[in-house]
Amino acid sequence: MAQINMNKNYGITITKHLFVILSSAIMCLILADPGYSAIYGLRDAQGNFFPKVTVSLGKKEVVISKIDPQEKFKSFALVINKKNTNLIKNISQVSVEWLNAENKGGKPAPFSGPTYDSAKLRLEEPMIRSVTLKLIDKSGKNVFVTKSFPDLFSIQIDEKTLIPSETGPEADSPVKFGSGRDVSLNLDKTSISFDESNIKKGEIINLDNRSGLDQVVGIELPEKYLLYYQIVRKPEQTKVPRESWDKFNIASDSGIFVVLIPESDPTQLAALNGKEVLIRVYQGDRIRETLRVPIRTPSDVGSGFQESVQGGGQVRDISDPKTGAVTDKQASRDVDRASGPSDSKVVPAAVSQQGSGSWQSTMIWIVLILNLMVSLALIGYGAFFLLPRMQVLEDRISKSEMFIHGSREAIREELDQIKDEMFPLRGKQSESE
């Protein structure tokens, strides 16, 4: 009986161990490849989502497939996340395979092939007949092991960046500044005012992209009534060309700042009151949202305000009224050094003090004239005082050399005479002996 109980206990123990081992094996298989899947598409101005592709992320491969196999993408691009240094360093070990509707494809090609732009970290090809794109990691360094697909790539179709569906795994993203997770622009000012305190140094509007995806915006300024205006990218401090202001890209985790300095003329300043800075956020070719920053100026603009602004001087316009091109290099450098909210009061020194340009020019001419006068005085001093003294010194040196030469010759003659007198006397002594 005891033997039977022992066998039962032994069997139960073995069963428990087998159950634990089997459960562990199943968990390891589950955790070995966590996987990622999402639907990416475009959203129109009304907020309607149009799915375009499905994305599946595994440990060793990424699979991107069309929702509609018949749809043709004239331009399909994958842009590497610039923060993913591991993927960038090993991108030559990633292969690309295009598959048709029957899941058949050609020979895998390297990701870093002819269609890859290493400067932009961008692979672009048409996706017309192909239905699926498969990326395979051959590096052995697990370059695809990340939290989510945006840590690796962003997808663009016909120059439009796709976003994941709200029902996807990224719906819980905490970065939501606008209506929808794809609009995450942080604007530091809801309005700006110009008065005696800032009429000379202007105002700066900061716009930051914290969405994790590139954003396309367009900015419209009331240029007619502004003395100086510029749009500068952060953090690289490069100017956005004026011809691109209607529509340009703001990269993820970067931003821009807009510099505005008004005209001090009372009429133009009054006309600026009520104008707006318009910031249009695009979703593809459509405007998803328009941000407005109204401009306010003093309602009672009079001669007193004019005198306090100009200080009795004339305002010097540093920009071309047609193109707005900066003509004052110092102003351009000062504007480029502004970088964010902490610099929102930094403006060009050439504009901050009205009428200072002419005074600086006069000071420069005065300094040049003083330098010329000092140089002429030094030359005159050398010509009238130093040259005669140098001549006298040369004469004295010449006389000293002549005296030394004469003394040397006299000594030599005297030695020769003494020698001549001593040799005959020595000859006479030897004869007497």
Side-chain angles (χ1 to χ4, degrees):
M1 190 68 180
Q3 184 68 29
I4 294 174
N5 291 333
M6 184 180 296
N7 291 336
K8 286 184 177 179
N9 293 333
Y10 183 75
I12 292 172
T13 303
I14 292 177
T15 304
K16 288 182 178 179
H17 283 293
L18 289 174
F19 179 78
V20 171
I21 293 172
L22 184 60
S23 300
S24 301
I26 293 173
M27 290 300 295
C28 289
L29 290 174
I30 293 174
L31 296 176
D33 188 1
Y36 171 100
S37 61
I39 297 175
Y40 277 71
L42 297 173
R43 192 178 299 280
D44 62 10
Q46 289 73 35
N48 300 317
F49 183 80
F50 296 93
K52 294 294 182 180
V53 296
T54 60
V55 177
S56 299
L57 174 61
K59 187 176 181 180
K60 291 293 184 180
E61 66 178 23
V62 176
V63 179
I64 303 173
S65 301
K66 294 178 181 177
I67 298 290
D68 181 5
Q70 303 301 322
E71 190 171 7
K72 298 179 180 180
F73 303 146
K74 295 181 180 179
S75 171
F76 180 89
L78 285 179
V79 183
I80 301 176
N81 188 334
K82 60 184 178 181
K83 295 182 179 180
N84 197 326
T85 56
N86 184 36
L87 177 59
I88 295 173
K89 290 179 181 178
N90 297 281
I91 195 62
S92 60
Q93 302 297 320
V94 175
S95 64
V96 179
E97 185 177 1
W98 299 89
L99 307 175
N100 58 18
E102 289 76 27
N103 205 30
K104 296 180 181 180
K107 184 179 179 181
F111 189 99
S112 55
T115 58
Y116 175 65
D117 188 343
S118 58
K120 298 180 180 179
L121 304 176
R122 177 187 179 94
L123 170 72
E124 183 175 7
E125 290 192 27
M127 192 174 182
I128 298 176
R129 294 183 179 179
S130 300
V131 176
T132 300
L133 170 64
K134 182 185 291 186
L135 305 179
I136 304 172
D137 176 20
K138 298 181 179 180
S139 66
K141 297 183 179 180
N142 297 327
V143 296
F144 292 157
V145 177
T146 57
K147 295 179 181 179
S148 61
F149 180 75
D151 296 330
L152 298 173
F153 303 99
S154 60
I155 306 175
Q156 294 181 355
I157 294 178
D158 299 332
E159 304 297 329
K160 302 173 184 177
T161 301
L162 303 188
I163 61 171
S165 169
E166 293 289 347
T167 59
E170 286 193 321
D172 296 330
S173 174
V175 184
K176 291 185 179 180
F177 294 111
S179 57
R181 68 169 310 282
D182 57 316
V183 179
S184 304
L185 295 174
N186 183 21
L187 189 64
D188 69 335
K189 288 183 175 65
T190 57
S191 65
I192 55 176
S193 300
F194 292 114
D195 51 29
E196 294 92 335
S197 62
N198 64 355
I199 190 68
K200 296 180 181 180
K201 49 191 178 182
E203 287 287 345
I204 290 180
I205 303 173
N206 287 275
L207 184 65
D208 298 306
N209 180 11
R210 301 293 182 236
S211 66
L213 299 171
D214 292 357
Q215 299 285 347
V216 178
V217 302
I219 296 181
E220 181 179 336
L221 305 176
E223 302 176 4
K224 184 177 179 181
Y225 306 106
L226 294 174
L227 172 66
Y228 181 81
Y229 45 91
Q230 191 59 261
I231 301 176
V232 184
R233 294 186 182 276
K234 298 186 294 184
E236 57 266 35
Q237 305 298 308
T238 56
K239 297 177 183 177
V240 178
R242 279 179 166 78
E243 57 271 16
S244 303
W245 286 6
D246 292 340
K247 196 174 184 181
F248 61 93
N249 184 70
I250 301 179
S252 172
D253 296 324
S254 64
I256 60 169
F257 59 89
V258 183
V259 184
L260 304 174
I261 301 176
E263 291 280 2
S264 59
D265 179 72
T267 304
Q268 297 189 25
L269 192 63
L272 188 61
N273 188 36
K275 299 294 182 181
E276 294 178 327
V277 176
L278 300 180
I279 303 173
R280 299 182 178 92
V281 183
Y282 285 89
Q283 182 65 54
D285 293 331
R286 301 180 180 181
I287 299 174
R288 176 184 176 89
E289 185 179 0
T290 300
L291 307 176
R292 300 177 182 272
V293 182
I295 300 174
R296 299 186 180 91
T297 58
S299 56
D300 54 345
V301 179
S303 60
F305 182 74
Q306 165 80 355
E307 293 176 1
S308 64
V309 170
Q310 294 188 355
Q314 296 295 325
V315 178
R316 183 166 62 94
D317 192 345
I318 63 172
S319 60
D320 188 343
K322 294 182 179 179
T323 63
V326 180
T327 58
D328 193 312
K329 294 182 179 179
Q330 181 62 36
S332 176
R333 288 196 297 268
D334 290 341
V335 170
D336 287 346
R337 283 196 290 267
S339 61
S342 60
D343 299 325
S344 60
K345 300 301 180 181
V346 179
V347 292
V351 186
S352 61
Q353 296 181 355
Q354 309 294 344
S356 61
S358 59
W359 171 247
Q360 292 177 357
S361 178
T362 304
M363 288 298 297
I364 292 173
W365 279 107
I366 291 174
V367 172
L368 291 175
I369 293 173
L370 289 176
N371 286 336
L372 181 61
M373 292 176 64
V374 171
S375 301
L376 292 175
L378 291 175
I379 294 173
Y381 178 80
F384 293 101
F385 293 94
L386 294 181
L387 288 179
R389 293 186 180 184
M390 292 178 64
Q391 189 67 35
V392 171
L393 183 60
E394 288 181 359
D395 293 342
R396 290 181 179 179
I397 292 174
S398 299
K399 291 180 180 179
S400 298
E401 290 179 350
M402 292 177 64
F403 175 75
I404 292 172
H405 181 71
S407 300
R408 187 184 296 122
E409 293 295 329
I411 292 171
R412 185 178 292 112
E413 291 178 359
E414 187 172 353
L415 289 174
D416 291 340
Q417 186 178 0
I418 292 173
K419 191 186 298 181
D420 293 338
E421 291 178 354
M422 290 183 67
F423 278 117
L425 180 60
R426 178 178 294 182
K428 293 179 179 179
Q429 289 178 355
S430 60
E431 290 177 357
S432 63
E433 290 177 357

